[in-house]
Amino acid sequence: MSSATIADAVQAPVRTDIRNVAIIAHVDHGKTTLVDGLLKQAHVFRDDAAAEAAGTLIMDSNELERERGITILAKNTAIHYQDERFGDVKINIIDTPGHADFGGEVERVLNMADGCLLLIDAVEGPMPQTRFVLTKALELGLRPIVVINKIDRPSARPEEVLSLTQDLFLDLATDEAQLDFPVIYAIAKRGVAGTSPDALADDLRPLFEAIVEHVPAPRADADAPLRLLATTLDYDPHRGRIAIGRITQGRAVAGQPVALVRADGGTSTHRLTWLAAYEGLGRREVAEALAGDIVAVAGIPGVTIGDTLADPAAPGALPSIAVEEPTLQLTFGVNTSPFAGRDGTPLTSRQLSARLERETETNVSLRVRPTESADVFEVAGRGELHLSILIETMRREGAEFQVSRPEVIIKEIDGARHEPFERVTIDTDEGSVGTVTDLLGPRRAAMTDLVHDGTGRVRLEFEVPTRGLIGFRNLFLTATRGEGVMSSLLIGYRPWAGPIGTTRNGALIAHETGTAVSYGLAAAQQRGMTFVEPGEEVYEGQIVGLHARENDLTVNVCKEKKLTNMRSSTADIDVRLTPPLRQSLEQALDFLADDELLEVTPKHARLRKRLLHEHERARARKQAGGKGR
């Protein structure tokens, strides 16, 4: 934005009837629960019974979000609050994801806000994603309100957490005014808040008042030429593509002509066929919206995130959305498994390409590129969870495909190889510190901090190549008996750290296509751990277990015991098997080696070798000089 435009915006009139606020935090610090309380206490629902029926995690409408207990997509809602000075104030709330892998969702929607609620857990304190989201908010000049949540937890330490938060602001602030922020203490689950941890009100009124008092009312000139930056896309089967964004200046009127100014400078003229503002959990069609409003519009079929809707008489563009580049990549390919088509719809190369390209329209952190093979596409994202959510979404749509092992994206900087590094924060018990350190040491990790909390828990901080974290999470959960908590944040590219050895053993590979039986599985379990159970169909080249040694081993899990008499036949029933290890999608991605793929269908996620036949794998090993598995 030019200096003249900034000066005009500063002198523009203020809309005291509206506040635009984003809610930002590290994952699981209580953002969505707090929004639940705000919605219910703002009487969005018609009565108490309807509010009770709405339950919890109201904004997490996506099925995957509810299953995983995390926010994946940024969402908008609007509530009203009666203020003594300003009367009826509409508060537009932008709920953002808390996981670092979905940072792109945060980056693209923060420019719709004038202020932010920064939620921090009263026990955990500032975490890696807290730093990330606060950095983005301060860069945009948002006015922060710190909300220290969950102060009712037995190990809550609100005073110490506030001190750590102040240190974080000192580290990140670019303006002295950003160091002066209001603090609210809350128990979002109970819907109460206050200005002191010892004096909470019976509701969230102190938080409502802080929003109206400290979040700046938008300065916007309703008489200037229209400017609206598309930050989110939606789709309606009747209206077509819907663009969502904040009107920076001017006014939007249903039916008016608008210029679509693309990021590449191209323009085209369209007509707004539909205009809606946010009310509660839905959208309400309106005839007109003014600068400062967050709206949804239809009638612009080619609009994408980062495009500007402008007055055709003065088609200027707003600064486009800058999103950090992806750091991890894998390949999506057409399913070549012998079982292709049994569970869902195998995607052709054209269908797979179209589906992935469609995802990039709304998932701004995603990158898709073709490869030398027409049936395989390279997909890059912000992390394993970011990519696994896409995989899970596509499989639930009924698609079948196969994906490769995630790999980090290497950059050439000043003639030298650089790779992404992450700051990893680990909370665990004192007895697991040595084990965690031993696991991270070979992965080129450097410890930067170690803090005992005095209750037997320890917080460790490491700087680790992203490469070293692939496959680490599962080992970490096992080493800490599921009690450790780990989070990470990208800190940038650094020189290549050197080779990182693998800690995974070889695979047990199915010898033939058929049905796994107890006798064959019992024999395989003498060599390692199995992934399948009796009665499950397998195919040649499928990975059916983990070998106890480093090399791959072909096993026949379909082999039945030869029957010599009735006694031996019944004795086979008494075979005792160890229950199979079932892996989640993320665990399966972590497990993969370079010569392996993950076949994904609506009902199965099967590990397999790229080359299904043993003679093909033997030939490949011979050509590689005997190296590899």
Side-chain angles (χ1 to χ4, degrees):
M1 187 179 290
S2 68
S3 58
T5 307
I6 294 174
D8 292 341
V10 170
Q11 297 176 11
V14 174
R15 289 193 60 183
T16 59
D17 64 329
I18 195 168
R19 300 291 186 276
N20 295 317
V21 61
I23 300 187
I24 58 177
H26 186 81
V27 66
D28 201 32
H29 279 201
K31 297 184 316 312
T32 308
T33 304
L34 183 65
V35 175
D36 288 350
L38 293 171
L39 288 169
K40 292 177 179 179
Q41 294 187 24
H43 306 296
V44 166
F45 304 96
R46 63 180 181 274
D47 52 37
D48 292 341
E52 186 70 24
T56 59
L57 306 180
I58 298 168
M59 292 290 285
D60 283 349
S61 54
N62 183 289
E63 183 181 352
L64 275 174
E65 292 177 319
R66 287 188 170 272
E67 286 182 11
R68 294 171 181 255
I70 59 173
T71 300
I72 296 172
L73 302 173
K75 304 176 190 68
N76 297 79
T77 187
I79 58 178
H80 289 266
Y81 177 72
Q82 290 293 331
D83 183 77
E84 294 180 357
R85 293 163 298 170
F86 305 116
D88 182 15
V89 178
K90 180 180 181 180
I91 303 175
N92 285 311
I93 298 175
I94 306 155
D95 186 21
T96 66
H99 197 285
D101 280 17
F102 306 108
E105 290 284 316
V106 180
E107 291 171 276
R108 69 178 173 81
V109 298
L110 282 185
N111 62 4
M112 290 194 290
D114 298 297
C116 63
L117 302 184
L118 177 66
L119 261 71
I120 302 177
D121 190 297
V123 175
E124 294 184 353
M127 296 289 281
Q129 181 70 354
T130 311
R131 172 180 288 269
F132 172 80
V133 293
L134 181 59
T135 299
K136 297 301 178 183
L138 295 180
E139 286 176 354
L140 291 170
L142 303 189
R143 181 79 161 92
I145 298 173
V146 172
V147 180
I148 299 179
N149 191 27
K150 305 184 183 182
I151 64 170
D152 59 331
R153 293 178 64 181
S155 50
R157 46 188 186 126
E159 292 83 4
E160 185 177 349
V161 167
L162 176 58
S163 177
L164 293 171
T165 304
Q166 290 170 333
D167 292 342
L168 181 62
F169 271 83
L170 280 171
D171 191 24
L172 300 179
T174 57
D175 189 321
E176 187 176 342
Q178 294 174 337
L179 301 176
D180 181 22
F181 53 85
V183 181
I184 299 293
Y185 300 88
I187 307 173
K189 196 171 184 179
R190 286 170 43 193
V192 297
T195 55
S196 166
D198 301 320
L200 298 183
D202 296 330
D203 53 22
L204 294 172
R205 185 173 293 273
L207 181 56
F208 280 110
E209 293 175 350
I211 293 172
V212 175
E213 174 72 24
H214 297 286
V215 173
R219 287 186 174 273
D221 186 357
D223 297 323
L226 173 66
R227 295 288 186 278
L228 184 155
L229 184 69
T231 57
T232 307
L233 294 182
D234 199 357
Y235 183 80
D236 182 272
H238 303 293
R239 299 186 176 93
R241 185 175 298 189
I242 295 173
I244 300 165
R246 172 179 166 176
I247 301 176
T248 305
Q249 64 180 46
R251 65 183 70 216
V253 180
Q256 79 177 83
V258 295
L260 171 62
V261 185
R262 299 183 182 85
D264 60 7
T267 61
S268 57
T269 304
H270 306 271
R271 187 173 298 276
L272 294 184
T273 58
W274 181 74
L275 174 67
Y278 284 87
E279 285 292 340
L281 296 174
R283 294 189 286 236
R284 177 175 58 86
E285 188 169 358
V286 295
E288 182 182 61
L290 305 178
D293 285 326
I294 295 176
V295 297
V297 300
I300 305 95
V303 64
T304 61
I305 291 174
D307 290 347
T308 300
L309 301 184
D311 187 333
L318 292 169
S320 189
I321 298 170
V323 177
E324 291 185 6
E325 293 295 314
T327 58
L328 211 61
Q329 65 186 17
L330 49 71
T331 62
F332 279 63
V334 173
N335 189 8
T336 58
S337 156
F339 291 171
R342 290 193 177 190
D343 298 338
T345 304
L347 298 179
T348 65
S349 58
R350 179 175 297 181
Q351 290 170 330
L352 182 58
S353 174
R355 176 61 183 86
L356 293 172
E357 288 296 337
R358 189 166 73 249
E359 185 70 22
T360 62
E361 294 180 357
T362 55
N363 197 337
V364 294
S365 298
L366 207 68
R367 302 288 185 272
V368 177
R369 293 190 308 180
T371 66
E372 294 179 356
S373 171
D375 294 337
V376 179
F377 302 89
E378 189 178 87
V379 180
R382 293 281 278 265
E384 282 184 278
L385 184 60
H386 184 207
L387 295 169
S388 70
I389 289 294
L390 171 60
I391 295 170
E392 183 66 34
T393 300
M394 289 175 60
R395 78 184 292 191
R396 293 189 182 205
E397 294 171 355
E400 288 190 10
F401 50 94
Q402 58 193 29
V403 296
S404 69
R405 180 178 186 267
E407 298 177 344
V408 298
I409 298 175
I410 306 301
K411 288 185 177 180
E412 195 84 12
I413 302 176
D414 297 330
R417 297 174 74 196
H418 283 63
E419 64 177 324
F421 272 69
E422 299 188 35
R423 180 179 293 110
V424 178
T425 301
I426 290 174
D427 286 304
T428 186
D429 58 275
E430 292 178 339
S432 300
V433 172
T435 305
V436 171
T437 305
D438 289 343
L439 286 173
L440 281 173
R443 294 169 178 265
R444 304 283 178 171
M447 184 185 294
T448 57
D449 198 10
L450 186 153
V451 179
H452 293 261
D453 68 356
T455 64
R457 301 289 294 180
V458 180
R459 173 169 291 186
L460 306 164
E461 285 195 4
F462 297 86
E463 292 184 355
V464 195
T466 301
R467 201 164 32 104
L469 293 179
I470 297 175
F472 172 72
R473 191 176 297 272
N474 296 331
L475 295 172
F476 168 73
L477 291 175
T478 302
T480 59
R481 301 172 299 281
E483 297 179 357
V485 178
M486 174 182 130
S487 58
S488 61
L489 181 68
L490 179 69
I491 54 178
Y493 274 76
R494 294 181 179 178
W496 179 262
I500 294 177
T502 179
T503 57
R504 204 205 87 178
N505 288 344
L508 297 178
I509 307 166
H511 174 265
E512 63 182 36
T513 300
T515 302
V517 296
S518 298
Y519 185 76
L521 286 170
Q525 287 189 351
Q526 295 177 9
R527 301 300 187 96
M529 183 185 302
T530 55
F531 299 158
V532 297
E533 59 187 14
E536 191 170 334
E537 290 189 278
V538 300
Y539 53 79
E540 181 185 0
Q542 181 178 334
I543 297 172
V544 294
L546 180 65
H547 193 195
R549 299 184 179 181
E550 293 184 1
N551 62 296
D552 288 341
L553 180 67
T554 301
V555 295
N556 191 356
V557 294
C558 303
K559 182 179 181 180
E560 297 185 9
K561 184 176 181 180
K562 294 186 181 297
L563 304 182
T564 56
N565 55 44
M566 186 59 67
R567 182 181 298 248
S568 63
S569 174
T570 55
D572 191 41
I573 300 174
D574 295 329
V575 172
R576 299 290 182 181
L577 293 176
T578 303
L581 174 65
R582 297 298 190 184
Q583 297 179 319
S584 67
L585 188 59
E586 286 84 7
Q587 289 171 331
L589 287 172
D590 283 345
F591 181 88
L592 289 172
D594 291 337
D595 64 339
E596 296 166 356
L597 296 170
L598 179 65
E599 177 197 359
V600 181
T601 76
K603 296 181 181 179
H604 296 93
R606 300 185 184 96
L607 296 159
R608 52 160 288 183
K609 286 293 182 178
R610 288 181 183 268
L611 302 175
L612 295 179
H613 303 298
E614 173 60 30
H615 68 275
E616 294 176 335
R617 296 193 295 274
R619 187 186 306 122
R621 286 194 296 269
K622 186 176 180 180
Q623 290 175 348
K627 295 182 180 180
R629 297 183 186 274

